[in-house]
Amino acid sequence: MKKTWEVFCCFVIWFSSQDVLSKASHQFPQSRFYSTQHGLSQASIYDIEEDSNGYIWFATQLGINRFDGYEFVSFGQKTEDGNGLSGSYVFDLEIDPNKGDLYVGNINGLDVLEQQSGQFRHIYLDSSKSGNEQYIVRKIKFDAENNLWIGSSKGLFYRPVGSSEFKKITNEQTPYNVYDLGFDKKGNVWATTKSGLLKFDKQNFNKPPTVLLANKNVSTLFIDSEQKLWVGTNGYGLFKYNINDQQPILIENISTHNGLVDSIVNDIHQMSDGSIWIATADGASIFTDPNDLLDSTVFKSNENIEVDEGINHHNIRSLLESKNGVIFFGTIDSGVGVIDPGKTLIKSLEFKNRDSIYFVTSGNNGEIWASGTSGVWKVNSDLSIEGPFQYANNGGNNLAQNKLTAVYYSKLDGTLWVASKLGLSKLNEETQLLETLPFKSVPIYTLTEDELGMLWIGSYDNGLFYYDPKNNDVILNIDTPLVTEILSLDKEQTWVATIGGLYLVNSVTKHFEHFSHDPDDPSSLPHNVITWISEISPGNYFLGTQGKGLWHMRYDESMKAPIFEQLFADSAISKSSIGGVIKGSDNGYWVASSRGLSRINESFTLIDHYSQNDGVSIGGYYIARPAENEAGLLFFAGVNSFNYFDPMTINTSTDFPALELTKIKTLSLESEDDIYDAKKAPLKELPNDYELVLEPNNLMVTIEFTSLEYGSPKSIQYAYKLKGFDNRWQYVDSISRSVLFTNLLPGHYELEIKNTNRHGVWATKANVLSIVVKTPWWKTTEFIFLSVILFFVFTYLIYRWRTYNLHQQAIALNSLVDSKTKDLKHANEQLRILTVKDSLTQLMNRRGFTERSNQEFEKYQRDKNAFCICLFDIDKFKNINDTYGHSIGDNVLVEVANTVKSSVRGCDVVARWGGEEFIVLFPNVDLSKANDIAERVRLSVSSLELVVKGIKISPTISGGIASIEKFNSLDECINCADDLLYKAKDLGRNRVCL
């Protein structure tokens, strides 16, 4: 049963490890990392940018990468076709806010990826040095007036809006190496250099810049929403200035001594919640309140990344918050990380030694009791933790005993019942120790209490027990498979879920019913491994299965068997394993499954899904009861995790990720064509009124799509339907993301595609792509109209010519018609007789009998007048042929045929079936009457004494009879008669079997 425990009862939901936070003031879900093994061209991320369509772009040492949440598309240095970057080592990216073009700063200067053409174009900062320009562009930025500013290795440049020429701000004698740029509301331009922070007067560039932090290597800057200037340095920490006054005023210098995680600052970003993120060489410092620099949170990714020894993947180089609130952080050596801080909804408690929790139960005083690998834990209403409560030292067994399975708090007398693989125990309130009870040596998985204070105990391999703890009396023991859950309804009725079906037990009569899955009965139990059962209302239950999702079961005493209906069959939960269900204070039903956590509304019409990005346990959930405390908090137990949350505070996002078409490809006999490919036009989006026109020779069209969801891309589901072809929704998961249609008929279609958000909520509005399949030229209206006219003209000419000829021939033919008609009628009659009559016996042949019997079968189907089929065979006829020759055998066949014909009724149909076999159809008789007639035939034949050419022969026959009433077809009836004929042969011949 050890294997059963591991496979069926301890299923868990696996996720990646969580991030480490130094303080609890800013909680995040775990980050996901993407590196070269996921498709990123190179692992050093220097900048991150989001384009107008919602795609994310990364600057690396090997070009730029576009990301849609699922896959990366790389763009490197110029290829043979001339399209590409002028240099692959990229430092900065910037989107033109008006045109949507992507500007790229690299080791060889400035490039732009144009949205409309999808082509890269190199831009010279100094037109006088075209072709010989040697600039490293490190920063690109548009100001509020849409002027373009460039920070380079040769100084500061800017291009006024509407102009194509750049102007240089710094002169040749003082070529500052500019790393970052910023603009304040006073019109000043701020630039970071290795020699300090520069402030340029935008109205007077001839004026020398003001220098702050002289001789310090200033790496980055940011001007926040309150016009405070944040300045990051390389080795000197972070500086914050008030620049609202005439002269900048230093507010604070923050270093590793007073809260900054590292003194090397790489990037600064203000998030939508107002917090300031400082990217450093050893993680990020987060200031939730930008005005309180003494309160910061340190963020470091704890992801297990395959990196070379010595590489620090906490070295964050760049930051970006996407439009939907997801934070990207690029590292120096380890790729890019993704976190979704706004989606942390579900919290967790950590026990000493990271103890694994199996079962939870609520007490009478607002506390929660939990069983784990180290004993029993008590979670107080203020979420403080006491324990573990363990067994007293009793030799070598205490370690095994302290590893508990189930726990149940009695609401009747306050007893805390505890179960383990070694038996039953309870907590002694005075000694605070677990006491072993006489009910032991039974490995227990689950237990519960009924209204009488009796315990229902479900074991691993000893079945189900109904136990009186006061008198130490086992009242009932039923041999069941491993018990996963017990639901006591009242003093008599109890539902028991097992890995071998569902049991309904009556503790008074000791009678039980067992319901199991029958593959041939769709109304039976949906699966034999039942992981959960709980009551919704009298006669209505939740039923959890392994791998078959959640079901609604209806059953009361008036019903012969339960009725099962799967809940949300079109959602991801339909193929999940269910761990437990509990109703929260929000009136929603919370379901733990292999999908994560889901919430079903009270009317069972909506379902929301919550995953690792929402804080769902990374260790997973056991098949075990969740619990609720007096404050309305829900608790779910899992491996290395203990989740809790207030359901009233869980608000499902109604935002939906953008749904984009990424590729349209057609296939014909001649070629394979890309109609649209977002990889080749990465910034260009199909217009809303785009119409896909397919040629008649297009045999197949493939359409690929994606959702720009970065927080939880794998949780997105898709559905599509092609109106005009099939109006039913077809569902695909996040891996497929494509549809394929073949051999569409000419006409107009509308392809509708919709997606869910990360919580499984379907978008109410679908993306629509109009598709027109052209009509082949030979099917066009014009061609058909012209063809019809030509046809009628040609037909008329032929008609006139044929009319003349036919008139001449009619006179000659008429004379022949009369003479030939009589001959033809006679010949047809002779032919008809030959086709249905046996030439030797003059009986019907097989064909004639088949036609006649089919008529009788149609009458039977219409009027239900039954008939019987009898097959006769002359016994040992081969011996007659072999002994006396075929001519005598033919005489015997004729005599037997005549005898059969004369021995049956006039309405009976007799035919030679083949060889020495005869078949008779007896209309309007049952088997008994048919047998009487067949016996008369048999006796008549057996009484024959034939003398043929002086030879005396006494033939006999055997027969088999079948009634059509027992069969669905004539062939089945004849086959049965044939089988009975052989049976008569086997029984000694000269007899009839029915």
Side-chain angles (χ1 to χ4, degrees):
M1 295 304 294
K2 180 180 180 182
K3 183 177 180 181
T4 303
W5 158 258
E6 293 173 346
V7 175
F8 294 106
C9 296
C10 198
F11 77 87
V12 293
I13 310 158
W14 294 104
F15 298 116
S16 56
S17 58
Q18 283 183 309
D19 297 303
V20 178
L21 301 173
S22 63
K23 298 181 68 175
S25 60
H26 218 110
Q27 184 180 0
F28 301 97
Q30 64 279 4
S31 60
R32 288 191 315 281
F33 255 85
Y34 299 94
S35 192
T36 53
Q37 63 265 36
H38 303 103
L40 197 62
S41 63
Q42 201 269 337
S44 298
I45 308 299
Y46 286 88
D47 192 29
I48 310 171
E49 188 70 24
E50 182 176 13
D51 67 24
S52 57
N53 296 325
Y55 291 95
I56 305 299
W57 293 80
F58 302 103
T60 77
Q61 293 179 9
L62 290 178
I64 60 177
N65 294 255
R66 194 196 70 173
F67 185 51
D68 64 2
Y70 299 101
E71 61 181 346
F72 293 88
V73 181
S74 301
F75 302 88
Q77 205 159 355
K78 286 184 180 180
T79 56
E80 294 180 359
D81 63 2
N83 192 33
L85 297 167
S86 61
S88 60
Y89 203 122
V90 179
F91 293 97
D92 196 43
L93 302 169
E94 185 77 4
I95 293 290
D96 186 328
N98 287 340
K99 295 182 178 180
D101 296 341
L102 176 66
Y103 284 83
V104 183
N106 60 66
I107 197 169
N108 287 333
L110 180 66
D111 296 320
V112 61
L113 174 59
E114 297 176 334
Q115 184 183 58
Q116 292 301 317
S117 67
Q119 298 293 308
F120 288 92
R121 179 170 56 87
H122 185 71
I123 299 176
Y124 292 97
L125 300 180
D126 189 346
S127 58
S128 64
K129 297 182 179 181
S130 298
N132 298 308
E133 190 177 64
Q134 296 294 324
Y135 294 101
I136 298 175
V137 173
R138 298 185 181 275
K139 191 63 183 179
I140 311 165
K141 205 170 184 69
F142 285 90
D143 63 18
E145 291 79 31
N146 210 34
N147 300 308
L148 178 59
W149 295 80
I150 304 296
S152 76
S153 58
K154 297 295 180 67
L156 181 63
F157 294 81
Y158 92 103
R159 186 183 69 188
V161 60
S163 173
S164 61
E165 299 291 332
F166 280 91
K167 298 181 179 180
K168 191 172 184 180
I169 304 304
T170 53
N171 56 46
E172 294 291 343
Q173 287 71 36
T174 56
Y176 299 107
N177 196 340
V178 178
Y179 289 88
D180 201 359
L181 294 169
F183 312 101
D184 63 26
K185 291 184 177 179
K186 295 181 178 180
N188 297 312
V189 179
W190 297 83
T192 66
T193 73
K194 285 186 177 182
S195 303
L197 177 67
L198 308 181
K199 184 183 77 168
F200 293 90
D201 187 346
K202 199 175 180 181
Q203 305 302 321
N204 186 7
F205 287 124
N206 294 321
K207 180 180 178 182
T210 303
V211 181
L212 281 74
L213 302 175
N215 300 319
K216 287 183 173 59
N217 189 342
V218 182
S219 53
T220 186
L221 65 84
F222 181 79
I223 300 175
D224 66 19
S225 56
E226 297 180 356
Q227 287 294 290
K228 299 295 192 302
L229 175 63
W230 300 71
V231 182
T233 67
N234 193 347
Y236 300 96
L238 180 71
F239 294 81
K240 182 180 179 182
Y241 290 90
N242 184 348
I243 56 175
N244 288 309
D245 297 328
Q246 189 66 31
Q247 295 296 326
I249 300 174
L250 178 64
I251 299 174
E252 187 73 54
N253 173 210
I254 310 163
S255 65
T256 54
H257 301 294
N258 55 354
L260 196 64
V261 64
D262 194 270
S263 61
I264 298 176
V265 178
N266 295 320
D267 197 10
I268 307 170
H269 199 94
Q270 185 170 30
M271 305 304 173
S272 57
D273 63 356
S275 63
I276 298 290
W277 287 52
I278 312 298
T280 77
D282 193 26
S285 291
I286 303 169
F287 297 95
T288 304
D289 182 358
N291 296 315
D292 185 2
L293 301 183
L294 298 179
D295 183 13
S296 65
T297 298
V298 175
F299 169 80
K300 292 186 180 182
S301 173
N302 205 27
E303 182 82 1
N304 180 22
I305 308 170
E306 295 181 2
V307 295
D308 295 334
E309 185 176 357
I311 290 179
N312 176 15
H313 60 269
H314 300 318
N315 192 340
I316 300 176
R317 179 64 180 83
S318 53
L319 292 166
L320 173 77
E321 183 184 25
S322 68
K323 296 170 186 174
N324 57 6
V326 175
I327 295 175
F328 294 83
F329 56 96
T331 68
I332 292 295
D333 302 295
S334 303
V336 62
V338 182
I339 54 176
D340 198 354
K343 306 303 181 182
T344 306
L345 305 173
I346 296 167
K347 302 176 182 178
S348 61
L349 287 175
E350 187 172 308
F351 293 84
K352 184 179 180 182
N353 299 325
R354 292 186 174 270
D355 196 12
S356 296
I357 303 301
Y358 299 133
F359 269 69
V360 292
T361 185
S362 56
N364 284 334
N365 300 312
E367 79 278 12
I368 293 293
W369 297 90
S371 62
T373 53
S374 302
V376 175
W377 301 85
K378 180 182 179 183
V379 181
N380 296 308
S381 57
D382 62 355
L383 300 181
S384 61
I385 300 174
E386 299 180 34
F389 304 101
Q390 300 177 331
Y391 292 92
N393 192 342
N394 61 347
N397 286 335
N398 68 315
L399 291 178
Q401 283 182 312
N402 287 330
K403 187 175 182 179
L404 307 177
T405 53
V407 61
Y408 183 84
Y409 186 89
S410 172
K411 299 300 177 64
L412 298 178
D413 59 13
T415 301
L416 184 68
W417 299 103
V418 181
S420 73
K421 289 188 177 183
L422 299 180
L424 181 66
S425 308
K426 68 178 181 180
L427 179 65
N428 187 313
E429 295 183 2
E430 296 181 359
T431 65
Q432 298 292 286
L433 294 173
L434 299 179
E435 296 179 351
T436 303
L437 298 177
F439 190 94
K440 56 184 180 180
S441 300
V442 175
I444 301 173
Y445 180 72
T446 186
L447 77 161
T448 192
E449 184 181 52
D450 67 9
E451 296 178 3
L452 301 175
M454 304 296 183
L455 293 181
W456 287 97
I457 299 175
S459 72
Y460 285 82
D461 48 12
N462 295 90
L464 175 72
F465 295 88
Y466 187 51
Y467 177 64
D468 181 356
K470 294 181 180 178
N471 299 312
N472 188 30
D473 182 21
V474 176
I475 301 172
L476 179 64
N477 179 211
I478 301 174
D479 184 17
T480 67
L482 187 149
V483 177
T484 56
E485 180 60 13
I486 304 170
L487 174 63
S488 179
L489 298 178
D490 50 37
K491 297 178 181 179
E492 297 184 9
Q493 301 287 334
T494 298
W495 286 101
V496 182
T498 77
I499 64 171
L502 189 64
Y503 292 78
L504 179 59
V505 183
N506 190 307
S507 59
V508 177
T509 64
K510 300 184 179 181
H511 172 75
F512 67 87
E513 294 182 75
H514 180 212
F515 304 99
S516 61
H517 175 64
D518 182 356
D520 297 325
D521 182 6
S523 65
S524 67
L525 191 70
H527 197 273
N528 273 332
V529 182
I530 304 300
T531 59
W532 179 260
I533 183 169
S534 59
E535 187 175 35
I536 304 170
S537 61
N540 293 276
Y541 306 90
F542 282 122
L543 205 66
T545 65
Q546 184 188 37
K548 295 290 185 179
L550 187 66
W551 296 71
H552 176 206
M553 181 180 78
R554 291 188 290 118
Y555 183 76
D556 57 42
E557 295 179 353
S558 65
M559 302 169 64
K560 293 183 179 179
I563 297 175
F564 306 98
E565 178 186 5
Q566 188 171 19
L567 296 174
F568 301 98
D570 60 348
S571 74
I573 200 176
S574 64
K575 296 180 181 179
S576 301
S577 298
I578 306 301
V581 183
I582 188 171
K583 188 173 185 179
S585 56
D586 60 343
N587 289 323
Y589 295 96
W590 290 85
V591 184
S593 73
S594 54
R595 175 67 166 75
L597 281 176
S598 303
R599 175 170 58 183
I600 300 173
N601 68 348
E602 194 172 15
S603 59
F604 299 165
T605 56
L606 295 174
I607 185 170
D608 301 322
H609 300 295
Y610 301 88
S611 63
Q612 59 190 43
N613 280 29
D614 304 305
V616 166
S617 169
I618 61 171
Y621 301 104
Y622 289 107
I623 301 174
R625 289 184 209 106
E628 180 183 29
N629 70 3
E630 289 184 347
L633 297 180
L634 299 184
F635 295 81
F636 290 83
V639 178
N640 296 324
S641 178
F642 189 66
N643 284 142
Y644 73 95
F645 56 91
D646 182 354
M648 297 298 293
T649 65
I650 306 296
N651 297 315
T652 302
S653 173
T654 57
D655 296 332
F656 290 88
L659 181 62
E660 300 285 342
L661 296 182
T662 57
K663 192 170 188 178
I664 302 175
K665 180 173 65 176
T666 61
L667 176 68
S668 64
L669 291 175
E670 296 81 16
S671 63
E672 183 176 346
D673 301 309
D674 289 336
I675 304 299
Y676 170 74
D677 190 347
K679 297 178 182 179
K680 297 177 180 178
L683 295 172
K684 190 173 182 179
E685 187 178 25
L686 284 175
N688 294 330
D689 58 351
Y690 176 76
E691 183 176 75
L692 174 61
V693 179
L694 300 179
E695 299 297 329
N697 63 339
N698 290 142
L699 304 177
M700 181 177 70
V701 59
T702 303
I703 300 170
E704 299 177 7
F705 44 84
T706 190
S707 287
L708 302 182
E709 164 63 47
Y710 304 106
S712 184
K714 292 182 180 179
S715 65
I716 305 300
Q717 300 176 72
Y718 301 87
Y720 69 90
K721 64 179 177 181
L722 187 61
K723 295 177 68 174
F725 177 75
D726 187 352
N727 289 329
R728 296 171 298 177
W729 286 105
Q730 308 294 326
Y731 298 91
V732 294
D733 58 22
S734 61
I735 298 175
S736 304
R737 307 196 315 278
S738 66
V739 296
L740 183 149
F741 301 104
T742 59
N743 298 314
L744 289 176
L745 295 176
H748 184 271
Y749 304 88
E750 285 189 345
L751 176 62
E752 295 187 5
I753 307 173
K754 64 179 182 178
N755 59 341
T756 66
N757 63 11
R758 58 196 308 277
H759 296 300
V761 179
W762 285 101
T764 56
K765 185 178 180 181
N767 286 22
V768 180
L769 174 65
S770 178
I771 302 176
V772 174
V773 181
K774 286 185 176 181
T775 304
W777 63 267
W778 63 88
K779 291 184 179 180
T780 60
T781 303
E782 295 81 0
F783 177 80
I784 293 174
F785 179 74
L786 180 60
S787 299
V788 169
I789 293 176
L790 292 176
F791 172 77
F792 279 111
V793 171
F794 182 74
T795 302
Y796 177 75
L797 295 175
I798 295 295
Y799 168 75
R800 293 296 297 171
W801 178 77
R802 288 290 296 164
T803 300
Y804 174 78
N805 285 325
L806 289 174
H807 180 72
Q808 297 300 316
Q809 295 173 12
I811 298 173
L813 289 175
N814 284 336
S815 63
L816 293 174
V817 168
D818 292 337
S819 63
K820 296 295 183 180
T821 299
K822 293 181 180 180
D823 296 339
L824 182 60
K825 287 182 178 179
H826 179 72
N828 286 338
E829 180 62 19
Q830 292 299 316
L831 181 61
R832 189 192 67 80
I833 293 172
L834 289 174
T835 58
V836 298
K837 182 175 287 190
D838 179 57
S839 60
L840 178 64
T841 62
Q842 297 303 303
L843 296 177
M844 280 187 181
N845 60 14
R846 192 181 191 117
R847 178 177 179 179
F849 180 85
T850 300
E851 292 178 357
R852 182 63 184 278
S853 59
N854 283 334
Q855 294 173 3
E856 289 296 325
F857 183 73
E858 291 175 358
K859 289 171 58 179
Y860 163 73
Q861 289 181 312
R862 184 176 63 252
D863 302 326
K864 299 303 178 183
N865 293 327
F867 61 84
C868 294
I869 296 292
C870 180
L871 270 170
F872 290 108
D873 184 90
I874 301 175
D875 297 328
K876 299 183 179 180
F877 182 77
K878 185 177 183 300
N879 292 342
I880 296 174
N881 276 338
D882 293 342
T883 303
Y884 305 112
H886 287 281
S887 61
I888 291 179
D890 288 347
N891 290 333
V892 172
L893 279 173
V894 172
E895 290 298 325
V896 171
N898 293 335
T899 303
V900 173
K901 179 67 176 179
S902 62
S903 299
V904 299
R905 302 174 302 171
C907 62
D908 297 333
V909 181
V910 182
R912 183 182 179 187
W913 193 239
E916 65 271 28
E917 282 187 325
F918 301 89
I919 190 167
V920 184
L921 186 147
F922 301 115
N924 302 317
V925 297
D926 56 14
L927 275 174
S928 176
K929 179 62 176 177
N931 185 54
D932 293 340
I933 302 172
E935 278 297 317
R936 185 166 70 236
V937 172
R938 183 186 66 80
L939 292 173
S940 298
V941 172
S942 63
S943 64
L944 287 175
E945 290 186 359
L946 304 177
V947 178
V948 182
K949 297 182 180 179
I951 300 171
K952 184 178 180 181
I953 299 174
S954 298
T956 62
I957 59 175
S958 299
I961 307 174
S963 174
I964 192 61
E965 292 179 305
K966 299 180 179 180
F967 305 96
N968 295 323
S969 71
L970 189 60
D971 288 339
E972 291 178 3
C973 184
I974 293 173
N975 290 337
C976 179
D978 192 50
D979 291 341
L980 292 169
L981 168 61
Y982 279 99
K983 181 179 179 182
K985 295 281 190 180
D986 293 337
L987 293 176
R989 299 183 178 85
N990 195 21
R991 64 188 68 228
V992 176
C993 290
L994 62 150

